[in-house]
Amino acid sequence: MKILVVHGPNLNLLGKREPEIYGNFTLDDINSKMRELGQELGVDVSFFQSNHEGEMVQKIQEAMGVFDAIVINPGAYTHTSVALRDAISSTGIPTVETHISNIYRREEFRKHSYISGVAVGQIAGFGPDSYLLALRAAVGQAGDGRKK
Ligand code: CA2
């Protein structure tokens, strides 16, 4: 089983800026923990980060026929991107939306997600553990059409 993890804009800055909001862990720390959990669960986990909406759309389109499920933290595009929503919806790949922070406890503009309506579910607010919970959820949601 193959799982794609997509990290959106500015998440490459984790651990380097604003630790009071997003913590001290880096994106590499998160990816390492996910890789370890993937080994435990017996699934292949691949990672992609981009600061560009179009590149994220492209990667999601290319996931068709390759990946069984997607874990995505769309970053700020969560609150703006119809293009990402359409990409997820058109691939039909089960997608779990995740956020480090609890977006419902923050500014009003973060309370709306364009992604949640096409995701199988959303996990938010557990810091880096959100990603690990999302990976478990994605493995559970991945269909029978497993890519070996
Ligand atoms: O809580 C999350 O995971 C977010 O997706 C993070 C996004 C934010 O726009 C969403 O509303 C919620 C922001 C990611 C930016 O990450 C940074 C990391 C370090 C320093 C600055 C930004």
Side-chain angles (χ1 to χ4, degrees), residues 128-146:
D129 287 347
S130 290
Y131 283 93
L132 301 178
L133 294 165
L135 179 57
R136 287 184 187 277
V139 170
Q141 289 295 318
D144 292 332
R146 295 179 174 201

Side-chain angles (χ1 to χ4, degrees), residues 1 14 17 20 37 47 51-52 57 66 69 74 76 78 81 91 94 102 112 121 130 140-141:
M1 183 183 290
L14 281 175
R17 298 269 189 282
E20 64 288 356
L37 178 60
F47 303 95
N51 292 324
H52 303 277
V57 167
V66 180
T78 305
S81 182
T91 63
N102 180 347
H112 177 260
S130 290
Q141 289 295 318

Side-chain angles (χ1 to χ4, degrees), residues 80-97:
T80 62
S81 182
V82 177
L84 271 183
R85 179 192 173 100
D86 288 349
I88 290 166
S89 153
S90 60
T91 63
I93 302 171
T95 297
V96 178
E97 177 185 356

Side-chain angles (χ1 to χ4, degrees), residues 10-11 13-14 17-18 22 73 75-76 79 99-101 110:
N10 296 311
L11 288 161
L13 296 178
L14 281 175
R17 298 269 189 282
E18 300 189 77
Y22 295 111
N73 182 346
H79 319 296
H99 298 283
I100 296 163
S101 61
R110 293 189 204 273

Side-chain angles (χ1 to χ4, degrees), residues 27-43:
L27 197 60
D28 282 346
D29 294 335
I30 290 176
N31 290 347
S32 298
K33 285 191 168 191
M34 291 186 94
R35 198 173 288 115
E36 267 173 39
L37 178 60
Q39 279 165 5
E40 227 176 86
L41 300 175
V43 300

